[in-house]
Short mmCIF file of all heavy atoms in Angstrom, two decimals:
data_model
loop_
_atom_site.label_atom_id
_atom_site.label_comp_id
_atom_site.label_asym_id
_atom_site.label_seq_id
_atom_site.Cartn_x
_atom_site.Cartn_y
_atom_site.Cartn_z
N ALA A 1 -2.60 -37.26 7.42
CA ALA A 1 -1.69 -36.81 6.36
C ALA A 1 -1.37 -37.94 5.38
O ALA A 1 -1.14 -37.69 4.19
CB ALA A 1 -0.40 -36.26 6.98
N ASP A 2 -1.35 -39.18 5.87
CA ASP A 2 -1.06 -40.33 4.99
C ASP A 2 -2.31 -40.84 4.29
O ASP A 2 -2.30 -41.93 3.70
CB ASP A 2 -0.40 -41.45 5.78
CG ASP A 2 -1.31 -42.00 6.89
OD1 ASP A 2 -2.46 -41.49 7.02
OD2 ASP A 2 -0.89 -42.91 7.61
N LYS A 3 -3.44 -40.09 4.37
CA LYS A 3 -4.73 -40.41 3.75
C LYS A 3 -5.49 -41.51 4.50
O LYS A 3 -6.58 -41.91 4.08
CB LYS A 3 -4.57 -40.82 2.28
CG LYS A 3 -3.86 -39.77 1.42
CD LYS A 3 -4.57 -38.43 1.48
CE LYS A 3 -3.85 -37.39 0.62
NZ LYS A 3 -4.50 -36.06 0.66
N GLY A 4 -4.93 -42.00 5.59
CA GLY A 4 -5.67 -42.94 6.42
C GLY A 4 -6.80 -42.20 7.13
O GLY A 4 -6.73 -40.98 7.36
N THR A 5 -7.87 -42.92 7.48
CA THR A 5 -9.04 -42.27 8.08
C THR A 5 -9.43 -42.92 9.40
O THR A 5 -9.11 -44.08 9.67
CB THR A 5 -10.25 -42.33 7.13
OG1 THR A 5 -10.58 -43.70 6.85
CG2 THR A 5 -9.96 -41.59 5.83
N TYR A 6 -10.10 -42.14 10.21
CA TYR A 6 -10.68 -42.60 11.47
C TYR A 6 -12.13 -42.13 11.51
O TYR A 6 -12.40 -40.92 11.50
CB TYR A 6 -9.91 -42.06 12.66
CG TYR A 6 -10.56 -42.31 13.99
CD1 TYR A 6 -10.99 -43.60 14.35
CD2 TYR A 6 -10.74 -41.28 14.92
CE1 TYR A 6 -11.59 -43.83 15.58
CE2 TYR A 6 -11.33 -41.52 16.15
CZ TYR A 6 -11.76 -42.79 16.48
OH TYR A 6 -12.35 -43.03 17.69
N LEU A 7 -13.06 -43.06 11.54
CA LEU A 7 -14.49 -42.77 11.61
C LEU A 7 -14.99 -43.25 12.97
O LEU A 7 -14.72 -44.39 13.36
CB LEU A 7 -15.23 -43.49 10.49
CG LEU A 7 -16.77 -43.44 10.50
CD1 LEU A 7 -17.28 -42.01 10.31
CD2 LEU A 7 -17.33 -44.35 9.41
N ARG A 8 -15.71 -42.39 13.68
CA ARG A 8 -16.23 -42.79 14.99
C ARG A 8 -17.60 -42.18 15.22
O ARG A 8 -17.93 -41.09 14.74
CB ARG A 8 -15.27 -42.38 16.11
CG ARG A 8 -15.13 -40.88 16.33
CD ARG A 8 -16.00 -40.36 17.45
NE ARG A 8 -15.53 -40.77 18.75
CZ ARG A 8 -16.24 -40.66 19.87
NH1 ARG A 8 -17.46 -40.12 19.82
NH2 ARG A 8 -15.75 -41.06 21.02
N CYS A 9 -18.43 -42.92 15.98
CA CYS A 9 -19.74 -42.43 16.40
C CYS A 9 -19.98 -42.86 17.84
O CYS A 9 -19.69 -44.00 18.22
CB CYS A 9 -20.85 -43.00 15.52
SG CYS A 9 -20.90 -42.32 13.86
N GLY A 10 -20.53 -41.94 18.64
CA GLY A 10 -20.84 -42.28 20.01
C GLY A 10 -20.49 -41.17 20.98
O GLY A 10 -20.11 -40.06 20.57
N PRO A 11 -20.61 -41.43 22.28
CA PRO A 11 -20.40 -40.40 23.30
C PRO A 11 -18.98 -39.87 23.30
O PRO A 11 -18.02 -40.62 23.07
CB PRO A 11 -20.75 -41.12 24.60
CG PRO A 11 -20.55 -42.57 24.30
CD PRO A 11 -20.95 -42.75 22.87
N ALA A 12 -18.83 -38.58 23.60
CA ALA A 12 -17.51 -37.96 23.63
C ALA A 12 -16.81 -38.18 24.96
O ALA A 12 -15.62 -37.89 25.08
CB ALA A 12 -17.63 -36.47 23.35
N ASP A 13 -17.54 -38.71 25.96
CA ASP A 13 -16.94 -38.93 27.28
C ASP A 13 -16.64 -40.41 27.52
O ASP A 13 -16.33 -40.80 28.65
CB ASP A 13 -17.86 -38.40 28.38
CG ASP A 13 -19.23 -39.06 28.36
OD1 ASP A 13 -19.61 -39.64 27.32
OD2 ASP A 13 -19.94 -39.01 29.39
N ALA A 14 -16.73 -41.23 26.48
CA ALA A 14 -16.47 -42.65 26.62
C ALA A 14 -16.05 -43.20 25.25
O ALA A 14 -16.09 -42.48 24.25
CB ALA A 14 -17.71 -43.38 27.12
N ALA A 15 -15.66 -44.47 25.22
CA ALA A 15 -15.28 -45.10 23.96
C ALA A 15 -16.46 -45.06 23.00
O ALA A 15 -17.62 -45.15 23.41
CB ALA A 15 -14.85 -46.54 24.20
N PRO A 16 -16.21 -44.90 21.70
CA PRO A 16 -17.30 -44.79 20.75
C PRO A 16 -18.13 -46.08 20.65
O PRO A 16 -17.63 -47.17 20.94
CB PRO A 16 -16.59 -44.49 19.43
CG PRO A 16 -15.20 -45.00 19.61
CD PRO A 16 -14.89 -44.80 21.05
N LEU A 17 -19.38 -45.94 20.25
CA LEU A 17 -20.21 -47.11 20.00
C LEU A 17 -19.70 -47.86 18.78
O LEU A 17 -19.73 -49.09 18.73
CB LEU A 17 -21.66 -46.69 19.78
CG LEU A 17 -22.40 -46.07 20.97
CD1 LEU A 17 -23.76 -45.55 20.53
CD2 LEU A 17 -22.57 -47.10 22.08
N LEU A 18 -19.26 -47.13 17.78
CA LEU A 18 -18.73 -47.69 16.55
C LEU A 18 -17.51 -46.89 16.13
O LEU A 18 -17.50 -45.66 16.26
CB LEU A 18 -19.77 -47.63 15.43
CG LEU A 18 -20.99 -48.54 15.54
CD1 LEU A 18 -22.10 -48.03 14.64
CD2 LEU A 18 -20.62 -49.96 15.16
N SER A 19 -16.49 -47.57 15.62
CA SER A 19 -15.33 -46.84 15.13
C SER A 19 -14.56 -47.71 14.16
O SER A 19 -14.68 -48.94 14.15
CB SER A 19 -14.40 -46.41 16.28
OG SER A 19 -13.78 -47.53 16.87
N GLU A 20 -13.77 -47.05 13.34
CA GLU A 20 -12.88 -47.76 12.42
C GLU A 20 -11.67 -46.90 12.12
O GLU A 20 -11.80 -45.70 11.85
CB GLU A 20 -13.60 -48.09 11.11
CG GLU A 20 -12.69 -48.80 10.13
CD GLU A 20 -13.45 -49.64 9.11
OE1 GLU A 20 -14.67 -49.77 9.23
OE2 GLU A 20 -12.78 -50.15 8.21
N GLY A 21 -10.50 -47.51 12.25
CA GLY A 21 -9.26 -46.83 11.91
C GLY A 21 -8.67 -46.02 13.04
O GLY A 21 -7.68 -45.33 12.84
N GLY A 22 -9.24 -46.10 14.24
CA GLY A 22 -8.77 -45.30 15.36
C GLY A 22 -8.04 -46.10 16.40
O GLY A 22 -7.72 -47.28 16.21
N PRO A 23 -7.80 -45.48 17.57
CA PRO A 23 -7.03 -46.13 18.64
C PRO A 23 -7.70 -47.37 19.21
O PRO A 23 -7.01 -48.24 19.75
CB PRO A 23 -6.90 -45.02 19.69
CG PRO A 23 -8.05 -44.10 19.42
CD PRO A 23 -8.22 -44.12 17.93
N ASP A 24 -9.02 -47.48 19.12
CA ASP A 24 -9.72 -48.65 19.69
C ASP A 24 -10.06 -49.71 18.65
O ASP A 24 -10.70 -50.70 18.96
CB ASP A 24 -11.02 -48.19 20.37
CG ASP A 24 -10.76 -47.26 21.54
OD1 ASP A 24 -9.82 -47.55 22.30
OD2 ASP A 24 -11.47 -46.25 21.67
N SER A 25 -9.63 -49.51 17.41
CA SER A 25 -10.00 -50.44 16.35
C SER A 25 -9.29 -51.78 16.53
O SER A 25 -8.15 -51.86 16.98
CB SER A 25 -9.64 -49.86 14.99
OG SER A 25 -10.41 -48.70 14.72
N LYS A 26 -10.02 -52.84 16.16
CA LYS A 26 -9.49 -54.19 16.23
C LYS A 26 -9.71 -54.87 14.89
O LYS A 26 -10.62 -54.50 14.14
CB LYS A 26 -10.19 -54.98 17.35
CG LYS A 26 -10.01 -54.38 18.73
CD LYS A 26 -10.80 -55.17 19.76
CE LYS A 26 -10.64 -54.55 21.14
NZ LYS A 26 -11.44 -55.27 22.16
N PRO A 27 -8.91 -55.88 14.56
CA PRO A 27 -9.10 -56.58 13.28
C PRO A 27 -10.50 -57.17 13.21
O PRO A 27 -11.00 -57.77 14.14
CB PRO A 27 -8.03 -57.68 13.32
CG PRO A 27 -6.99 -57.15 14.25
CD PRO A 27 -7.74 -56.38 15.30
N ASP A 28 -11.16 -56.96 12.08
CA ASP A 28 -12.52 -57.43 11.89
C ASP A 28 -12.77 -57.52 10.40
O ASP A 28 -12.07 -56.90 9.61
CB ASP A 28 -13.51 -56.45 12.55
CG ASP A 28 -14.89 -57.08 12.73
OD1 ASP A 28 -15.62 -57.13 11.74
OD2 ASP A 28 -15.20 -57.51 13.84
N SER A 29 -13.76 -58.29 10.01
CA SER A 29 -14.03 -58.48 8.59
C SER A 29 -15.11 -57.54 8.08
O SER A 29 -15.50 -57.63 6.92
CB SER A 29 -14.45 -59.93 8.31
OG SER A 29 -15.59 -60.27 9.07
N ASP A 30 -15.61 -56.65 8.91
CA ASP A 30 -16.63 -55.69 8.51
C ASP A 30 -16.03 -54.29 8.40
O ASP A 30 -15.33 -53.84 9.31
CB ASP A 30 -17.79 -55.66 9.51
CG ASP A 30 -18.59 -56.94 9.50
OD1 ASP A 30 -18.50 -57.68 8.51
OD2 ASP A 30 -19.29 -57.20 10.49
N ASP A 31 -16.28 -53.63 7.30
CA ASP A 31 -15.79 -52.27 7.10
C ASP A 31 -16.92 -51.28 7.36
O ASP A 31 -17.97 -51.34 6.71
CB ASP A 31 -15.29 -52.08 5.67
CG ASP A 31 -13.99 -52.82 5.41
OD1 ASP A 31 -13.27 -53.09 6.38
OD2 ASP A 31 -13.71 -53.15 4.24
N LEU A 32 -16.71 -50.38 8.29
CA LEU A 32 -17.69 -49.36 8.61
C LEU A 32 -17.65 -48.27 7.53
O LEU A 32 -16.60 -47.71 7.25
CB LEU A 32 -17.37 -48.76 9.98
CG LEU A 32 -18.40 -47.80 10.59
CD1 LEU A 32 -19.70 -48.51 10.88
CD2 LEU A 32 -17.83 -47.18 11.86
N VAL A 33 -18.81 -47.99 6.93
CA VAL A 33 -18.89 -47.00 5.86
C VAL A 33 -19.35 -45.65 6.38
O VAL A 33 -18.80 -44.61 6.02
CB VAL A 33 -19.84 -47.49 4.74
CG1 VAL A 33 -19.99 -46.43 3.65
CG2 VAL A 33 -19.34 -48.80 4.15
#
């Protein structure tokens, strides 16, 4: 609702292989497009 986004790719039964903006995100200098 606040226009923030969560992008994820990977298995649905485990943590994603790649993600950005979600519960597992960590500070990093690379932005996933």
